[in-house]
Amino acid sequence: MNKRVLAALGTVILGVAVIAGVGSYVANAKNDSRVLAATPAGTMDTPQGMLPHATLDISVYPDSMAGMHGKDGGAHPGYVSYGPVTNFEVPAHSVITMTVTNYDGGESLNNDYFARVRGTLDGSALLNGERMTHISPDAVGHTFTIHGLAVEQDEFFVSVPMKAVAEEDMPEEGYTSKPNVTVFTFVTGGPGEYIWNCEYPCGDGTIAKFGAAMSTMGYMSGHFTVKG
Ligand SMILES: [Cu+2]
């Protein structure tokens, strides 16, 4: 075979291999089928009446060594990560209380919008037991932001900032003994498949710090399913 044809063929094969690689990578990312279902917790009186109540309890860490991606941290031990999983399932037309324990430090948001608590009951949350509606946009560790616009399902938007652990309380090894605990409560509408993600730029330097952990499913993003 002619050398140029061979070289061209090589390029095509390489291209196909890269595309196949990307494809299987994306498929694997989507295939993180682990789901944390909310725990039923009786009923709660809300402005929308007495509703079934359920709770979700999660954490967020400065790396992936807490076991959520397998022992030794999985594919990206250094990535910041929520855990124990990032796919959640909650009941429809219910009141959900989420507790997020943040072990990570942080800095400034790209957009101050996400420093405010949005979409919760009376627009507030509890930070280490104290009621708050927003935190300083330059002391944010991560956010938990459920995006509600989707076709043929109820609109649903909840966004809560997780306060960064102070720099002096971040140990060189292991996790801080002074995590910031945020508790917030919101009401779900009808059934739907939603996506949540973190809106704090906690990825690596690429894509305005929205690369790495921020652009890999299962770390700073996941599914949020409201089940009928
Ligand atoms: Cu984050």
Side-chain angles (χ1 to χ4, degrees):
M1 217 185 290
N2 164 320
K3 257 189 191 162
R4 275 173 65 188
V5 171
L6 210 63
L9 201 64
T11 306
V12 169
I13 289 168
L14 193 68
V16 169
V18 166
I19 290 166
V22 169
S24 68
Y25 172 76
V26 170
N28 280 333
K30 277 190 179 158
N31 276 346
D32 184 353
S33 54
R34 297 173 303 156
V35 177
L36 180 63
T39 306
T43 56
M44 187 189 267
D45 201 8
T46 76
Q48 287 148 59
M50 195 67 90
L51 293 175
H53 185 211
T55 62
L56 274 175
D57 200 340
I58 62 173
S59 299
V60 54
Y61 302 94
D63 59 34
S64 291
M65 300 304 286
M68 70 292 258
H69 298 287
K71 70 174 175 75
D72 302 328
H76 308 287
Y79 279 14
V80 289
S81 189
Y82 273 85
V85 300
T86 64
N87 298 319
F88 308 106
E89 193 180 283
V90 301
H93 305 294
S94 298
V95 55
I96 312 298
T97 298
M98 280 188 80
T99 300
V100 180
T101 303
N102 176 33
Y103 292 92
D104 201 7
E107 241 178 55
S108 297
L109 285 164
N110 288 336
N111 186 339
D112 290 2
Y113 181 88
F114 295 107
R116 188 164 284 277
V117 177
R118 297 175 186 277
T120 67
L121 278 186
D122 75 17
S124 74
L126 285 177
L127 171 59
N128 300 327
E130 294 202 9
R131 181 93 22 213
M132 62 89 168
T133 56
H134 63 282
I135 63 174
S136 170
D138 59 10
V140 176
H142 299 277
T143 79
F144 191 88
T145 304
I146 305 166
H147 291 269
L149 284 179
V151 180
E152 289 180 358
Q153 59 188 34
D154 287 353
E155 255 179 55
F156 186 32
F157 182 71
V158 174
S159 184
V160 178
M162 306 308 152
K163 191 176 194 290
V165 172
E167 186 125 27
E168 62 267 27
D169 292 328
M170 288 293 290
E172 287 289 317
E173 293 281 317
Y175 300 129
T176 182
S177 57
K178 293 179 184 170
N180 285 320
V181 180
T182 305
V183 180
F184 52 97
T185 299
F186 53 90
V187 174
T188 58
E193 294 270 350
Y194 303 91
I195 291 288
W196 73 271
N197 70 298
C198 168
E199 292 287 352
Y200 172 75
C202 63
D204 64 3
T206 55
I207 334 175
K209 292 195 177 166
F210 269 64
M214 286 294 276
S215 50
T216 309
M217 274 304 247
Y219 291 84
M220 284 288 139
S221 57
H223 297 271
F224 200 95
T225 304
V226 178
K227 252 198 146 166

